Amino acid sequence: METNISQRLLDVADFIPQGAKLLDVGSDHAYLPIHLLQEGLISQAIASEVVQGPYRSALENVTAAGLNQKIQVRLADGLEALEPSDGVTTIAICGMGGRLIADILTAGQEKLSGLERLVLQPNNREDDVRAWLSDHGFKIIAEKVMSEKGKFYEIIVAQPGQQVLNDFEKRFGPRHLEEKSAGFLTKWQRELEKLQVALSKIPEANQADRQALEERIQAIKEAIQDEG
């Protein structure tokens, strides 16, 4: 079976450790675990879904790929899919809002002990994800910005460890601020241009609104500046 896997999920796959046992939360069609097993990159996987339609689709795809012995498909909400006996080493949560990802991690927090890696791909509110990691004993070890169909996506990779982030790092990402990758710079340069246009349309009399935008603009300039 050929999986119709997106570039976004291919980029996520790059951060799944070799030989991992994976829990893919909100796996949708199970494209990510199927791809990883077909490429011999992981040992086993659990694909979980909370909605009947995607759950059935994942079951069908796993069967079509001949991977029923390697991938368990479970109908469950968030980390309720995970049992201590599963031996999962890596959890991926992709394609949902950052606030929801943080809520899923909070609800299943007691199940994260012994975990080696979290691979998270929020569609928005990346700061909520980083704040959760900072507050709950996880250290961000890698970040990536990629674009697909005109939209930017961020991948945040973390492992157990202490890392206290300030608000600036939560917004822009500690690894991004160190590396200043092309994707990161392009994303924030585009956002900067949009905010500058918006600022030009706010009347001078609306000083509170102007100041709020100016502060956001200044923060982006600080984040993307070349420190030479």
Side-chain angles (χ1 to χ4, degrees):
M1 171 192 165
E2 290 291 322
T3 57
N4 187 27
I5 191 168
S6 66
Q7 185 59 51
R8 175 178 56 86
L9 288 179
L10 286 173
D11 284 7
V12 168
D14 288 340
F15 294 102
I16 307 297
Q18 179 79 35
K21 181 162 186 184
L22 174 71
L23 168 62
D24 185 25
V25 176
S27 192
D28 202 1
H29 301 284
Y31 287 148
L32 177 62
I34 289 171
H35 166 76
L36 288 165
L37 276 158
Q38 285 178 334
E39 296 298 317
L41 298 173
I42 62 173
S43 60
Q44 295 181 69
I46 299 165
S48 78
E49 253 304 337
V50 70
V51 179
Q52 278 283 352
Y55 165 74
R56 287 194 296 270
S57 175
L59 277 174
E60 291 169 3
N61 288 339
V62 169
T63 299
L67 290 170
N68 296 85
Q69 300 302 310
K70 293 288 187 178
I71 302 175
Q72 296 182 48
V73 183
R74 297 181 183 174
L75 185 65
D77 188 1
L79 298 186
E80 289 178 8
L82 183 61
E83 299 297 335
S85 59
D86 290 329
V88 162
T89 59
T90 298
I91 294 175
I93 311 177
C94 305
M96 52 189 90
R99 182 69 257 155
L100 178 55
I101 290 175
D103 288 345
I104 288 170
L105 293 171
T106 297
Q109 187 176 341
E110 76 284 352
K111 298 189 174 187
L112 299 177
S113 61
L115 194 72
E116 295 175 11
R117 181 170 290 192
L118 287 170
V119 183
L120 310 172
Q121 184 270 296
N123 287 348
N124 53 44
R125 293 310 304 254
E126 295 85 3
D127 55 333
D128 283 336
V129 174
R130 295 189 185 102
W132 191 95
L133 295 170
S134 177
D135 292 343
H136 293 86
F138 281 86
K139 180 178 181 179
I140 296 171
I141 60 169
E143 294 178 295
K144 180 173 183 174
V145 174
M146 64 84 60
S147 62
E148 187 173 67
K149 297 179 180 177
K151 179 174 171 54
F152 289 102
Y153 297 95
E154 295 204 27
I155 301 167
I156 302 170
V157 185
Q159 65 186 24
Q162 292 302 314
Q163 180 186 51
V164 179
L165 303 177
N166 59 36
D167 288 344
F168 190 74
E169 291 167 325
K170 289 172 186 174
R171 183 177 185 197
F172 295 104
R175 302 296 294 174
H176 287 318
L177 291 169
E178 291 174 7
E179 297 167 1
K180 306 284 179 76
S181 70
F184 171 77
L185 295 174
T186 300
K187 171 186 174 173
W188 286 108
Q189 183 63 46
R190 197 166 297 176
E191 181 66 15
L192 176 63
E193 290 165 2
K194 286 195 280 187
L195 292 180
Q196 287 171 328
V197 170
L199 179 64
S200 70
K201 296 178 180 179
I202 297 177
E204 291 288 344
N206 295 357
Q207 277 304 306
D209 291 342
R210 289 185 63 85
Q211 182 176 346
L213 262 188
E214 286 167 354
E215 288 173 357
R216 291 171 64 188
I217 287 169
Q218 185 54 41
I220 295 172
K221 286 181 177 179
E222 183 179 343
I224 66 177
Q225 70 182 357
D226 183 359
E227 295 170 354

